[in-house]
Amino acid sequence: MNSFLQSIIGGANQGILWALLALGVFISYRILDFADLTTEGSFTLGGAMVATLIASGLEPILSTFIAFLAGMLAGLCTGLINTKLKIPPILAGILTMIALYSINIRIMGGSSNKNILRFDTVITYFQKIFNISKLYATTIIGVLVVAIIIAILYWFFGTEKGSAIRATGNNEKMCRALGINTDNTKILALMISNGLIALSGAMVAQQQNYADVNMGIGAIVIGLASVIIGETFMSQKFPFWLKLTFIALGSVLYRVLVTIVINANFFEASDLKLLTAIIVVLALALPKLKTAYSNRHKKCHKSAQNFMTNNKE
Amino acid sequence: MKKIITILLAVLFSMSFLITNACSKKTDYTIGILQLAEHPALDAANEGFRTELDKLMKEAGKTVKYNNKNAQGNIDNCTTIANTHIANNVDLILAIATPAAQAAVAASNNTIPVLFTAVTDAVDAGLVQSNEEPKYKVSGTSDLNPVELQIKLIKELVPNVKKIAAIYNKAERNSQIQYEMAKEVCQKEGITLVDKAINDINDLQITFGGLESDIDAVYIPTDNMLASSSAAVHSVNKDTKKLPIVCGEIGMNDLCGVATYGIDYYKLGEQTARMAFKVLVEGQDITKMPVELLEEYVFSVNQTVANEINFTIPQSVLDRAK
């Protein structure tokens, strides 16, 4: 049991770093209502960027920040392709994603895999400062970064620019009628979203000590699953910062579920993908089941009320 | 509530110390296996390792259990599985393929010994300091195929060879390393090696169809993507250029090559098992264990493919395959 708990903690700790990806996906999918497939490319871009910069001797925190900026550039690309060239969102994202595949290999010096196994990273910094294990260092830095990002997002989406983005996602035509330049709000939202996704990739690459051109495979599914799991447990009445927190928790929970599946010895190794799909379907179906249940509940309640009033007469 | 959680955690952590301290003289071992993806070669290495280690442990009167996990080609799962093995306190991790080995080494952080197999260049992947002396608790077997032997074999198959095309996946580091090695050998032999890297298996038809007419042969390294579509390679070759192909490994050669020296991944796994036995039972220092290459290569000729592309295999080559 204790080792099982330990691996769950390990999974949760990985989930914290992927939470940044979930937040990025939440911004594009839910706030902006833009199905952005740049994710798989920008996640790898963050990893490739940070690994290359660290391996070339640059300071890790600065490298991580540059990776974030590179992700913003990828978002800018998708945004421009979509708004200026009028290419539909899905295709715009896919185009940037496949372009990034080649760019990421270029960034890593023509190689598909760049290791930083024996280099200082943001995580080893923390290990050295507090003299703690890698697991704790990753957890602390992950929670810290996620908290800071949530605070910044909470502030930003309260400003005029941020509100304009939210409004664009809700009703684009209305926004244009009100004089908001929806092209600019879309581009800005995509830049923030992909910046966060690249930051996630940069953190993950530093945790696993290498970047690989294939590390973004499945990132979109993971991001969506995290968002959906997070939303399952939140109510629409929540304040915005709490919603963001639940999205981050959704990512942690997703990773924990995957860890449980991996740990379960009665599954074959090849069952993992099937089980992952089942988890996502269940998470997707939960809200539906919840409303069906509460509707039935309401109906019962109503008929009971009717019964009571009828009997009074 | 907070108090209860803290107490629970404290109890659990103290339990973990008790459990780890309760171990004494070892007779049974647990090995965590982390395999990157389902793939015939990787599966063979996995099976060879387990079969050989079972045999060795049985002879020594010890038992061994395996925690066999597969990451389904997802790199994030590699990290999760590696962490799971560490948490389960396995005695040794066997990592199969480069990204799996990198994840295992990062997670183990020099605490639990890691043995890898099916890794082409352990130094390039940052797993070991040098192949002669790893310096960390990491060692294993390399699946570097005999590139030099294979290029020389092309010379034997096509005596006046001038130009060879190398077809491989740009996204696989292992293939790139082999391409660079092949280039070096070709330079020594006075042959031009043309880089025909592809990004996607759908590019195969275009690449093959577009091969210049002065190309005499094709070299395909041990590339995962091309290995899984060797049959497609042969059908495209048969319909277009009918060139003799030399592949990096036997499995591919059976489907699309004319002849090759290759690695038997099952044997590579067996060799890794012998290393595991040395580390676990004989107590050898893994940090000083050199990374091993396969002890003996297999030679194979494929007459069926040769007939289908109207290629005549020289008698000297045929004699060697006997």
Side-chain angles (χ1 to χ4, degrees), chain A residues 70-122:
Chain A
M72 286 187 101
L73 272 180
L76 174 72
C77 246
T78 306
L80 289 175
I81 292 173
N82 169 249
T83 55
K84 306 298 173 204
L85 306 179
K86 298 283 177 265
I87 290 173
I90 294 248
L91 196 53
I94 289 176
L95 289 169
T96 314
M97 177 181 89
I98 58 172
L100 278 171
Y101 186 86
S102 308
I103 291 168
N104 288 333
I105 291 181
R106 278 267 178 209
I107 287 172
M108 294 192 279
S111 155
S112 65
N113 181 301
K114 187 110 198 146
N115 79 79
I116 41 171
L117 266 170
R118 318 290 174 205
F119 288 91
D120 258 344
T121 62
V122 173

Side-chain angles (χ1 to χ4, degrees), chain B:
Chain B
M1 189 65 202
K2 258 190 192 157
K3 262 189 187 160
I4 294 171
I5 290 172
T6 345
I7 291 167
L8 265 178
L9 278 176
V11 169
L12 279 166
F13 277 116
S14 51
M15 268 173 64
S16 73
F17 282 117
L18 286 175
I19 289 166
T20 46
N21 290 344
C23 293
S24 59
K25 198 170 182 307
K26 276 198 108 53
T27 54
D28 50 343
Y29 298 92
T30 313
I31 294 190
I33 300 179
L34 160 53
Q35 189 178 324
L36 175 68
E38 258 104 5
H39 180 292
L42 303 185
D43 291 345
N46 190 331
E47 202 180 326
F49 177 87
R50 281 179 292 130
T51 313
E52 178 72 7
L53 194 59
D54 278 340
K55 198 184 90 196
L56 291 169
M57 288 286 188
K58 205 170 176 176
E59 284 166 5
K62 306 200 184 283
T63 57
V64 60
K65 278 206 312 283
Y66 303 99
N67 208 336
N68 195 353
K69 304 288 180 197
N70 190 311
Q72 308 291 298
N74 272 25
I75 287 176
D76 52 297
N77 291 340
C78 283
T79 306
T80 306
I81 293 169
N83 283 332
T84 300
H85 286 328
I86 305 282
N88 287 328
N89 234 326
V90 296
D91 299 298
L92 181 139
I93 295 179
L94 171 74
I96 307 173
T98 305
Q102 286 173 315
V105 169
S108 148
N109 217 349
N110 229 12
T111 52
I112 292 175
V114 177
L115 276 179
F116 55 79
T117 185
V119 167
T120 302
D121 190 336
V123 177
D124 181 82
L127 300 168
V128 293
Q129 187 99 37
S130 76
N131 283 327
E132 293 69 38
E133 196 179 337
K135 282 265 178 12
Y136 310 101
K137 288 189 176 173
V138 187
S139 189
T141 52
S142 160
D143 65 352
L144 185 60
N145 48 314
V147 177
E148 192 168 353
L149 279 176
Q150 285 161 352
I151 299 290
K152 284 182 173 158
L153 179 67
I154 297 181
K155 267 191 87 164
E156 207 174 346
L157 291 165
V158 190
N160 45 11
V161 59
K162 294 276 181 295
K163 250 192 183 172
I164 301 173
I167 299 181
Y168 62 100
N169 176 6
K170 196 89 191 162
E172 288 182 37
R173 186 67 191 136
N174 288 347
S175 314
Q176 263 179 325
I177 293 165
Q178 291 170 61
Y179 166 75
E180 277 148 25
M181 289 175 65
K183 203 170 176 75
E184 236 170 83
V185 180
C186 283
Q187 261 166 353
K188 267 190 237 152
E189 303 284 335
I191 305 166
T192 319
L193 188 70
V194 194
D195 187 349
K196 292 282 178 189
I198 57 176
N199 282 316
D200 190 320
I201 206 64
N202 304 320
D203 304 345
L204 197 64
Q205 187 87 31
I206 303 159
T207 308
F208 238 102
L211 287 181
E212 294 80 0
S213 55
D214 61 350
I215 283 176
D216 309 305
V218 175
Y219 178 65
I220 303 179
T222 55
D223 182 291
N224 288 317
M225 185 171 84
L226 284 151
S228 46
S229 39
S230 302
V233 172
H234 177 59
S235 73
V236 171
N237 184 29
K238 201 172 59 181
D239 297 342
T240 53
K241 303 284 170 181
K242 290 191 164 46
L243 287 168
I245 301 177
V246 169
C247 310
E249 51 128 352
I250 303 286
M252 294 161 79
N253 187 67
D254 290 343
L255 293 167
C256 68
V258 288
T260 197
Y261 288 96
I263 292 225
D264 182 340
Y265 278 87
Y266 190 88
K267 281 192 174 139
L268 197 71
E270 283 183 333
Q271 208 172 313
T272 320
R274 290 192 281 277
M275 290 175 84
F277 187 78
K278 282 177 195 159
V279 173
L280 292 171
V281 182
E282 294 172 8
Q284 280 195 24
D285 182 4
I286 189 169
T287 60
K288 293 192 170 61
M289 265 189 176
V291 174
E292 297 179 9
L293 287 167
L294 192 63
E295 284 148 2
E296 47 169 335
Y297 298 110
V298 193
F299 185 69
S300 166
V301 163
N302 190 340
Q303 195 60 61
T304 322
V305 166
N307 292 346
E308 283 180 339
I309 59 167
N310 313 328
F311 180 78
T312 320
I313 299 173
Q315 196 54 45
S316 62
V317 177
L318 286 173
D319 291 343
R320 196 174 323 147
K322 286 187 177 96

